[in-house]
């Protein structure tokens, strides 16, 4: 659903910002989802799936909107483009390697829920710098805060494709959730 998130953030500035406010909203949701995964006794696959969806929504949205921002910066200074991409992806790979080294042993020797507690501050770590303006997301001027229909008019096929893909992905998840989960069927 990254395409739909990108279209939404470009077309509608949430709380006056195209990127920062979306990142903060999904970061709060993702952080609470990690707390839920760590603290709640989860007996339902549906609940676990909804919480994991919120976690992955944070990851995907923050990734997409930060990539959009550094793509803007690369256009301003083309000479730094490959260096910036290498820096971002190098850090991502180092973080992935460190996580891979710890996840297995921690899950084997302790309650796996401890991993969710460990991820909670990491999920929350993007909130403060984004709220402080480190993303350099400019506030939309007064009077231009509504939905940008010119974006839809300019790229109708691309936007339609993004929305169809998002609805398809969400539709599959909702069908699985509501028709194949015993707890939902019982309720």
């Amino acid at each position: 659903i990254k395409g739909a998130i990108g279209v939404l953030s470009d077309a509608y500035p949430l709380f006056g910002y195209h990127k920062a406010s979306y990142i903060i909203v999904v970061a709060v949701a993702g952080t609470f989802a990690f707390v839920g995964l760590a603290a709640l006794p989860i007996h339902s696959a549906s609940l676990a799936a909804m919480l994991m969806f919120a976690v992955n929504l944070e990851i995907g949205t923050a990734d997409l909107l930060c990539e959009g921002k550094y793509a803007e910066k690369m256009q301003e200074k083309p000479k730094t483009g490959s260096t910036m991409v290498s820096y971002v992806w190098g850090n991502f790979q180092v973080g992935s390697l460190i996580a891979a080294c710890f996840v297995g042993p921690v899950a084997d020797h302790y309650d796996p829920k401890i991993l969710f507690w460990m991820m909670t501050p990491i999920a929350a770590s993007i909130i403060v710098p984004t709220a402080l303006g480190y993303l350099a997301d400019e506030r939309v001027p007064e009077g231009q805060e509504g939905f940008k229909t010119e974006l839809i008019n300019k790229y109708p096929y691309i936007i339609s494709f993004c929305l169809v893909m998002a609805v398809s992905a969400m539709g599959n998840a909702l069908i699985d959730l509501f028709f194949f989960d015993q707890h939902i069927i019982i309720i």
Side-chain angles (χ1 to χ4, degrees), residues 7-166:
V7 168
L8 180 63
S9 71
D10 286 345
Y12 185 76
L14 184 65
F15 305 120
Y17 294 93
H18 284 286
K19 292 177 175 54
S21 53
Y22 285 96
I23 291 173
I24 291 170
V25 167
V26 297
V28 168
T31 301
F32 280 116
F34 270 123
V35 169
L37 287 164
L40 297 175
I42 299 181
H43 302 291
S44 166
S46 299
L47 177 60
M50 286 187 288
L51 293 172
M52 288 303 293
F53 175 79
V55 165
N56 283 292
L57 184 65
E58 175 188 0
I59 294 166
T61 301
D63 177 52
L64 175 74
L65 298 180
C66 288
E67 282 176 359
K69 194 53 157 173
Y70 72 72
E72 287 175 20
K73 296 298 182 188
M74 289 183 337
Q75 286 179 350
E76 292 172 10
K77 297 179 181 180
K79 291 181 182 179
T80 63
S82 61
T83 304
M84 189 176 301
V85 172
S86 297
Y87 175 75
V88 169
W89 281 98
N91 283 325
F92 178 80
Q93 293 302 323
V94 168
S96 295
L97 178 64
I98 292 168
C101 291
F102 283 98
V103 168
V106 169
D108 287 345
H109 292 90
Y110 304 101
D111 182 0
K113 286 185 171 239
I114 197 167
L115 294 168
F116 297 124
W117 283 119
M118 292 169 66
M119 289 306 302
T120 299
I122 295 170
S125 68
I126 196 169
I127 296 170
V128 172
T130 305
L132 292 175
Y134 289 6
L135 191 62
D137 192 18
E138 299 291 325
R139 183 168 181 80
V140 174
E142 288 280 331
Q144 297 179 3
E145 293 176 334
F147 197 79
K148 285 193 210 172
T149 55
E150 61 270 6
L151 181 70
I152 296 168
N153 295 333
K154 189 173 181 180
Y155 303 107
Y157 296 115
I158 294 172
I159 291 172
S160 298
F161 178 73
C162 290
L163 295 177
V164 165
M165 293 300 294

